[in-house]
Amino acid sequence: MDEDKIDEAVLALLVLGIHGQQAGMLPRVWKSFDWDALDRLHEKGLISNPRSKAKSVVLTDDGLQQAEEAFARLFGGD
């Protein structure tokens, strides 16, 4: 199993759950994916620590950019 491909797909799917992206607010996403994948994304510096009491995580600037690129690459239309 290629964990990097899994992480890329999870990161791309996080785009679907972005909320709180108004001016001055960091983009948050619900943490409803595999915990191991979320831990790896945190270790890569793409999301905040998923091991908190919050029901969502924050995408870092790099995480948001990579998530949007991965979403377009994996799920974008022609």
Side-chain angles (χ1 to χ4, degrees):
M1 170 167 60
D2 187 334
E3 290 181 342
D4 286 331
K5 287 182 180 178
I6 291 169
D7 295 350
E8 180 181 30
V10 169
L11 185 62
L13 290 170
L14 289 176
V15 169
L16 296 175
I18 290 176
H19 62 279
Q21 202 173 9
Q22 295 91 4
M25 295 185 68
L26 296 171
R28 299 189 71 86
V29 292
W30 303 116
K31 52 183 184 184
S32 58
F33 290 94
D34 176 72
W35 282 102
D36 291 333
L38 291 175
D39 285 338
R40 288 190 302 270
L41 292 174
H42 173 63
E43 290 171 9
K44 293 175 183 178
L46 302 173
I47 63 172
S48 63
N49 189 347
R51 302 286 177 173
S52 69
K53 292 183 180 186
K55 294 182 181 181
S56 60
V57 293
V58 174
L59 284 163
T60 64
D61 290 339
D62 192 35
L64 178 59
Q65 179 180 348
Q66 287 189 40
E68 290 172 339
E69 290 169 359
F71 187 85
R73 184 173 48 259
L74 295 171
F75 307 112
D78 293 333

